Amino acid sequence: MAAKLLALACIRNESRGGSSGLSPRPHYPSMPKYPKGVAAEEMTAEAEKKALFAVSGMTCAACAGSVEKAVKRLPGIREAIVDVLNGRAQVLFYPNFVNEETIRETIEDVGFEATLIQGETSERSTQVCRIRIKGMTCTSCSSTVESALQAVHGVQRAQVALATEEAEVLYDPKVLTHNQLLQAIEDTGFEAVLISSGEDITKIDLQVEGVRTERSMRIIEESLEALPGVQAIDSSPDVKKFSISYKPDMTGPRTFINVIETTGSRRFKATIFPEGDGGKETYRKEEIRQYYRSFMWSLVFTIPVFLTSMVFMYIPGIKNGLDTKVVNMLSVGEIIRWVLSTPVQFIIGWRFYAGSYKALRHGSANMDVLIALGTNAAYFYSVYSVLRAATSPHFKGTDFFETSSMLISFILLGKYLEVLAKGKTSEAIAKLMDLAPETATLLTLDEEGNVTNEEEIDSRLIQKNDVIKIIPGAKVASDGFVIWGQSHVNESMITGEARPVGKRKGDQVIGGTLNENGVLHIRATNVGSESALSLIVRLVESAQMAKAPVQKFADRISKYFVPLVILLSFSTWLAWFLAGKFHGYPKSWIPSSMDSFQLALQFGISVMVIACPCALGLATPTAVMVGTGVGASQGVLIKGGQALESAHKVNCIVFDKTGTLTVGKPVVVNTRLLKNMVLGEFYELIAATEVNSEHPLAKAVVEYAKKFREDVLSEAEGLAQTGILVSIDGEIAGALAISDPLKPGAKEVISILKTMKVRSIMVTGDNWGTANSIAKEVGIEAESVIAEAKPEQKAERVKDLQVSGYTVAMVGDGINDSPALVAANVGMAIGAGTDIAIEAADIVLMKSNLEDVITAIDLSRKTFSRIRLNYIWALGYNVLGIPIAAGALFPSTGFRLPPWIAGAAMAASSVSVVCCSLLLKYYKRPKKLDNLDIRGISIE
């Protein structure tokens, strides 16, 4: 047990009235947003300056907090961010009121050495652009686009996802613009639509009514550009739309609407543009409608073709009419089938010609090439047969018009079902976006904080520092903190935690959560793209974009798949044709309605259309999309396919101690007086001394002192405790025992991991005594404990385990865990941890529950097994289907696969793979977790 000696010189407060009490938190001078006497309008972004300091001597988050608070007390400071891991402090300030030297001296006054870093800023030199790509059909298409983007100078990374039909490009904005990226995609033959052009930027689209001239558009644009905080404006005169990028700290959408509506003669009216999701849902619905319309029109023409060739030929009266000769051997039935199949081939099926041209122009081949070749072979051979019959009195040929038209119809049906199913794979994102309420109640307060007005507004118009009223049963309209009222809020839709969380003044609330039983007034903090909901949506979207390493397998196959299928198709036709030409099989095998050439042609076409590269391309991304979506709904954010694939292999987990295995909030568990005095008075003196300290142990003492005044004292078992000696007037008066309690379920989680054959290791910066005590309590063996480890030593330990053959996951919550989180195969950050830890991790456990470590691993295993099943199905389908289509069963059984049935089977393969992935939506976490009797802990 560690011991500390605190020499406390306590001065008793003479006016200890009942009303004064103990302060609930340290008091610091409240700093105004801007220096006293300066109007907010004067402080624009252009007047800001940024300084970066190297700060040495910081050892923990408390040190960083001390530096940050000291700097923020200075006049003219806009923002201060301290990174203890890298020993850096970044300060945004107004140089008219404070300078770098004053800031540096202030940091040194706190007790640390500070040096100004000249010429270095943390400005991003990269930007992320998301683009929707229309027209991709298989992995060959996505690979072509990805290669084209990678070849553009200034692009650092490009990912193209077939399942989401989107590209995510990391590029240098100093070298190229997003318009050049769009052009690069369109040069490959696909249509590109910009979704977002930057990262960490808030953007809103406004539609303006009453605009009649370009001059009016220009006046409005100039008025908006004059506003502080507006970064960029893109106008679309054709739809009267303005896309405004802005800094939410300085301005917001209500300001824009007010400026627009007060511009000129006040005839303009501004509203939020109806397409709020970047058009993704609109595009998906339109794509579904297009395939549905195409399929229905193809049926209008294909059904009569099918009836005249397959049904009416067996009805004597109708058969005679269809067999009536028009010119030589040309019959009425052949003319009808030719006329009806032509629109299907060249109008409804034009999309396949266009797709083939785009692919072949860039030296690749995709599914469209196979469909175009197969249907053209059937159609043009039929045209040849019809023309020859019209010019010959003896030729009696057979047409395959039903083959080409039915092929196209079934493929369109398959694509229609596929886009329907693919839409369901991204339902998780749609559900997250639907969490935000449509309206909010905006409150206007007077100087004393009394409500003077209530107004219902569109929730997208909420600006930073607005006060919003949340009634019982309503959704929280924005991230913020409670300034009035008490209630319980159900946060399960965001965190997955079903238990309602109590909220009162000062507590944080998350936009999209459900207020249950009381009225709350909240002050909005993070709005627009900065909100927790938006960040989660972006994280899930990025995860669904990222490719799993196993996807490379499908990408490699796709390069050779279509050329190989074309070669097999030609070889099949040639083999059957030569076998028939040289009497390699009995003539009785040839159906009465065709000759050996036509039989060979049907086998060749069947091989060409049954092979499906789409199923292979969709096997991984659809499973990843559903898996990451399900994880998000359970409070487990998985950052992409790489994390998902690595997590299923994990057989060793390294746990941080403080804040991970333990709660991370020390509490006083025992007190011993060494002199004769009243216990309440003892704690009054300690609290008065420690109330302004930011040290976690000091906070624990103050919180316990407050509780002591209110309750009957209860004795707690001392385990892994820190001892503190207290002296008053130079004489030791007592001792305190402070402990950081275990998290609920920590012991049970370690036990379940053992049954899953996953080794648990604890690495901590704390002392060996405390570490061994905590490890014993949770069930980790003594040889699996590493104590007194610095951040870099944690990372080294992870690397040592990897060298030993383990696939390692690291679970942590602090800044000092970041190196280990990055070094691990899978980094898991506790959701209540630091932003740096969450940024460094591959998986974020939003509920801060250790049981979600098991959920994450189990979900990854289930998802990866579904990916394997998809590949087995997609490959097995082609391995079995191609020989059957080539006539492997025909000699022994007489069974052959007509081309139109082969086409239907090809369409069904893609749908089946997507549906197989969709079954992951019904994932349930391991039953062991539901049966856990997790004890609660109470921390006052």
Side-chain angles (χ1 to χ4, degrees):
M1 187 185 299
K4 284 190 178 180
L5 179 63
L6 301 182
L8 308 178
C10 299
I11 303 176
R12 201 165 186 172
N13 190 341
E14 292 294 328
S15 57
R16 272 199 337 253
S19 60
S20 64
L22 291 174
S23 170
R25 58 174 63 90
H27 284 293
Y28 293 99
S30 59
M31 187 193 128
K33 179 74 175 174
Y34 305 109
K36 189 175 179 181
V38 179
E41 301 83 56
E42 296 178 34
M43 313 305 288
T44 63
E46 287 75 15
E48 290 177 14
K49 194 173 179 182
K50 182 183 292 184
L52 192 65
F53 297 88
V55 184
S56 58
M58 296 189 296
T59 58
C60 63
C63 302
S66 301
V67 173
E68 194 170 301
K69 283 183 171 62
V71 172
K72 284 183 175 178
R73 288 177 189 159
L74 294 170
I77 300 295
R78 188 176 184 281
E79 186 59 89
I81 302 169
V82 181
D83 178 0
V84 69
L85 188 64
N86 296 306
R88 295 284 190 272
Q90 180 181 289
V91 185
L92 284 175
F93 64 100
Y94 300 105
N96 291 340
F97 302 93
V98 69
N99 57 35
E100 292 95 335
E101 183 58 25
T102 304
I103 297 170
R104 191 191 65 77
E105 289 175 354
T106 301
I107 296 173
E108 293 197 337
D109 287 343
V110 182
F112 305 99
E113 291 185 14
T115 307
L116 177 66
I117 301 176
Q118 299 287 351
E120 184 179 338
T121 66
S122 61
E123 291 284 347
R124 293 191 180 207
S125 60
T126 58
Q127 208 162 283
V128 175
C129 176
R130 289 180 60 236
I131 302 168
R132 182 171 301 108
I133 303 170
K134 299 181 181 180
M136 294 192 299
T137 57
C138 64
T139 50
S140 178
C141 302
S142 58
S143 298
T144 299
V145 176
E146 196 170 283
S147 299
L149 287 171
Q150 293 279 21
V152 177
H153 177 60
V155 171
Q156 298 173 12
R157 188 189 72 239
Q159 287 183 323
V160 179
L162 174 65
T164 59
E165 296 179 317
E166 291 180 8
E168 187 175 84
V169 188
L170 186 70
Y171 68 102
D172 186 347
K174 297 173 185 174
V175 177
L176 75 160
T177 65
H178 58 78
N179 287 326
Q180 289 171 282
L181 296 173
L182 296 178
Q183 188 60 50
I185 293 171
E186 291 183 350
D187 287 344
T188 62
F190 299 96
E191 186 180 346
V193 179
L194 183 69
I195 298 175
S196 63
S197 59
E199 193 176 52
D200 298 332
I201 193 169
T202 301
K203 184 179 180 181
I204 192 165
D205 295 335
L206 298 178
Q207 192 169 38
V208 183
E209 297 176 8
V211 178
R212 299 186 182 90
T213 64
E214 288 187 12
R215 183 173 179 275
S216 297
M217 290 285 289
R218 193 166 58 252
I219 289 172
I220 292 172
E221 190 169 338
E222 289 171 354
S223 300
L224 291 170
E225 284 176 340
L227 290 172
V230 172
Q231 295 177 297
I233 300 177
D234 290 327
S235 59
S236 304
D238 51 336
V239 290
K240 308 295 187 289
K241 182 177 81 170
F242 292 91
S243 298
I244 308 165
S245 302
Y246 63 97
K247 294 182 179 179
D249 285 346
M250 304 179 68
T251 188
R254 288 205 314 281
T255 305
F256 305 147
I257 290 174
N258 183 57
V259 166
I260 292 170
E261 294 184 348
T262 55
T263 296
S265 57
R266 296 177 180 264
R267 71 171 187 272
F268 306 128
K269 181 171 179 57
T271 54
I272 294 178
F273 199 76
E275 201 175 87
D277 61 348
K280 185 174 184 176
E281 185 64 18
T282 304
Y283 167 67
R284 190 179 70 81
K285 288 179 179 177
E286 180 57 31
E287 187 181 28
I288 291 171
R289 280 195 295 269
Q290 283 180 2
Y291 275 115
Y292 178 75
R293 283 196 300 266
S294 297
F295 171 63
M296 294 308 294
W297 273 110
S298 70
L299 281 186
V300 169
F301 295 100
T302 300
I303 289 174
V305 172
F306 171 76
L307 292 174
T308 58
S309 62
M310 303 285 189
V311 179
F312 293 160
M313 298 307 292
Y314 299 98
I315 302 175
I318 301 177
K319 181 181 185 304
N320 294 334
L322 293 175
D323 285 343
T324 302
K325 301 298 184 284
V326 178
V327 179
N328 288 327
M329 297 299 290
L330 178 64
S331 66
V332 171
E334 288 173 328
I335 292 175
I336 291 173
R337 288 192 290 273
W338 187 10
V339 170
L340 290 174
S341 63
T342 299
V344 179
Q345 183 70 37
F346 297 108
I347 299 175
I348 298 171
W350 178 253
R351 65 175 68 240
F352 303 118
Y353 286 99
S356 301
Y357 170 73
K358 292 171 184 176
L360 294 172
R361 193 179 69 172
H362 293 278
S364 64
N366 59 9
M367 185 196 77
D368 290 335
V369 173
L370 296 179
I371 296 170
L373 284 174
T375 56
N376 277 339
Y379 179 84
F380 285 108
Y381 175 79
S382 301
V383 170
Y384 160 77
S385 180
V386 166
L387 292 176
R388 187 172 174 188
T391 57
S392 171
H394 306 293
F395 177 80
K396 186 179 180 181
T398 302
D399 66 85
F400 297 143
F401 285 121
E402 81 285 350
T403 296
S404 65
S405 57
M406 290 176 72
L407 254 177
I408 289 173
S409 296
F410 276 110
I411 289 163
L412 288 173
L413 174 62
K415 292 300 289 183
Y416 169 67
L417 295 174
E418 184 185 317
V419 294
L420 271 180
K422 279 165 62 179
K424 295 182 183 297
T425 61
S426 57
E427 275 184 354
I429 291 179
K431 287 179 180 177
L432 282 170
M433 295 179 75
D434 287 344
L435 289 177
E438 293 183 0
T439 61
T441 303
L442 177 68
L443 300 181
T444 304
L445 308 181
D446 60 20
E447 293 181 357
E448 297 178 356
N450 300 314
V451 177
T452 59
N453 186 48
E454 290 188 12
E455 178 187 0
E456 190 172 274
I457 62 170
D458 190 310
S459 62
R460 292 171 293 181
L461 296 177
I462 296 174
Q463 298 183 185
K464 196 164 185 177
N465 293 321
D466 281 346
V467 177
I468 307 297
K469 178 182 177 181
I470 315 294
I471 62 174
K475 289 181 179 178
V476 177
S478 168
D479 290 1
F481 61 91
V482 178
I483 61 171
W484 180 87
Q486 292 188 34
S487 184
H488 284 82
V489 175
N490 186 336
E491 298 181 342
S492 61
M493 55 284 296
I494 300 292
T495 66
E497 180 60 68
R499 187 183 305 168
V501 181
K503 301 291 182 182
R504 56 185 178 180
K505 186 175 181 180
D507 289 342
Q508 299 287 327
V509 290
I510 306 171
T513 55
L514 184 66
N515 184 28
E516 292 200 339
N517 52 17
V519 177
L520 295 175
H521 292 178
I522 67 164
R523 188 173 296 280
T525 51
N526 298 326
V527 296
S529 63
E530 292 185 339
S531 69
L533 192 58
S534 295
L535 291 172
I536 291 170
V537 168
R538 283 208 300 274
L539 193 150
V540 176
E541 284 179 334
S542 295
Q544 294 182 345
M545 284 290 303
K547 289 183 180 179
V550 72
Q551 175 70 23
K552 294 175 183 176
F553 171 68
D555 291 344
R556 281 195 298 268
I557 292 178
S558 69
K559 290 180 182 178
Y560 310 104
F561 190 90
V562 174
L564 181 62
V565 168
I566 294 172
L567 180 62
L568 286 173
S569 174
F570 178 78
S571 301
T572 300
W573 169 79
L574 185 62
W576 277 103
F577 174 68
L578 292 176
K581 188 81 171 173
F582 297 104
H583 310 291
Y585 57 82
K587 284 190 176 182
S588 59
W589 287 12
I590 304 174
S592 58
S593 60
M594 60 180 71
D595 58 25
S596 61
F597 175 85
Q598 294 167 338
L599 179 66
L601 184 63
Q602 282 219 343
F603 282 129
I605 293 173
S606 293
V607 169
M608 189 169 294
V609 297
I610 199 171
C612 182
C614 296
L616 274 172
L618 293 170
T620 298
T622 52
V624 169
M625 285 178 73
V626 180
T628 52
V630 167
S633 69
Q634 302 223 4
V636 178
L637 295 182
I638 303 171
K639 297 182 181 178
Q642 172 76 57
L644 202 61
E645 183 170 340
S646 299
H648 95 279
K649 303 174 186 174
V650 166
N651 53 13
C652 178
I653 299 184
V654 177
F655 289 95
D656 174 47
K657 180 182 74 70
T658 307
T660 303
L661 288 173
T662 66
V663 174
K665 183 177 181 181
V667 292
V668 175
V669 294
N670 205 352
T671 309
R672 184 177 179 186
L673 290 175
L674 301 178
K675 66 181 295 187
N676 189 19
M677 66 183 300
V678 179
L679 193 60
E681 184 177 323
F682 176 73
Y683 271 109
E684 286 277 351
L685 294 173
I686 294 173
T689 303
E690 294 283 31
V691 72
N692 283 319
S693 173
E694 281 296 292
H695 198 284
L697 296 184
K699 288 184 177 181
V701 172
V702 173
E703 292 299 316
Y704 187 78
K706 288 194 308 178
K707 179 176 175 57
F708 178 78
R709 292 196 63 182
E710 297 166 2
D711 302 334
V712 178
L713 181 66
S714 63
E715 292 293 330
E717 181 184 355
L719 186 64
Q721 300 166 354
T722 298
I724 297 179
L725 298 178
V726 180
S727 74
I728 300 177
D729 295 331
E731 183 181 351
I732 293 181
L736 308 178
I738 298 178
S739 177
D740 183 6
L742 277 183
K743 271 195 175 173
K747 184 175 181 179
E748 291 86 348
V749 166
I750 300 299
S751 176
I752 293 173
L753 286 171
K754 285 181 181 177
T755 66
M756 296 171 68
K757 298 185 174 15
V758 178
R759 181 186 177 190
S760 296
I761 291 175
M762 186 177 78
V763 179
T764 178
D766 211 337
N767 63 76
W768 279 98
T770 301
N772 284 324
S773 179
I774 291 291
K776 183 179 179 182
E777 191 170 351
V778 298
I780 295 177
E781 298 84 359
E783 61 269 19
S784 296
V785 177
I786 295 97
E788 298 177 7
K790 295 179 181 178
E792 60 273 15
Q793 291 172 327
K794 291 184 179 182
E796 286 300 323
R797 180 54 179 157
V798 167
K799 291 173 184 175
D800 290 343
L801 289 165
Q802 290 169 332
V803 170
S804 301
Y806 285 104
T807 300
V808 183
M810 170 70 193
V811 184
D813 73 318
I815 292 173
N816 60 343
D817 297 323
S818 299
L821 288 170
V822 173
N825 299 89
V826 181
M828 297 187 188
I830 297 294
T834 65
D835 290 342
I836 293 175
I838 291 172
E839 183 70 27
D842 301 299
I843 297 175
V844 180
L845 310 179
M846 294 177 63
K847 288 184 285 187
S848 298
N849 263 339
L850 279 179
E851 59 190 275
D852 282 342
V853 171
I854 295 171
T855 302
I857 294 174
D858 184 68
L859 176 60
S860 71
R861 289 178 177 179
K862 293 284 197 312
T863 303
F864 207 75
S865 67
R866 192 54 51 98
I867 291 173
R868 285 198 191 101
L869 185 60
N870 283 348
Y871 274 128
I872 290 170
W873 170 253
L875 286 171
Y877 163 84
N878 284 300
V879 168
L880 292 175
I882 290 175
I884 292 172
L889 301 179
F890 187 64
S892 58
T893 65
F895 175 80
R896 63 186 176 86
L897 205 62
W900 62 274
I901 293 180
M906 184 267 276
S909 67
S910 297
V911 178
S912 61
V913 164
V914 177
C915 290
C916 184
S917 295
L918 281 173
L919 292 176
L920 275 170
K921 288 172 65 177
Y922 304 103
Y923 167 83
K924 301 291 182 187
R925 70 180 195 161
K927 288 184 179 179
K928 295 176 184 177
L929 298 180
D930 296 330
N931 298 330
L932 281 184
D933 181 23
I934 295 182
R935 64 194 182 283
I937 56 172
S938 178
I939 299 178
E940 299 295 332

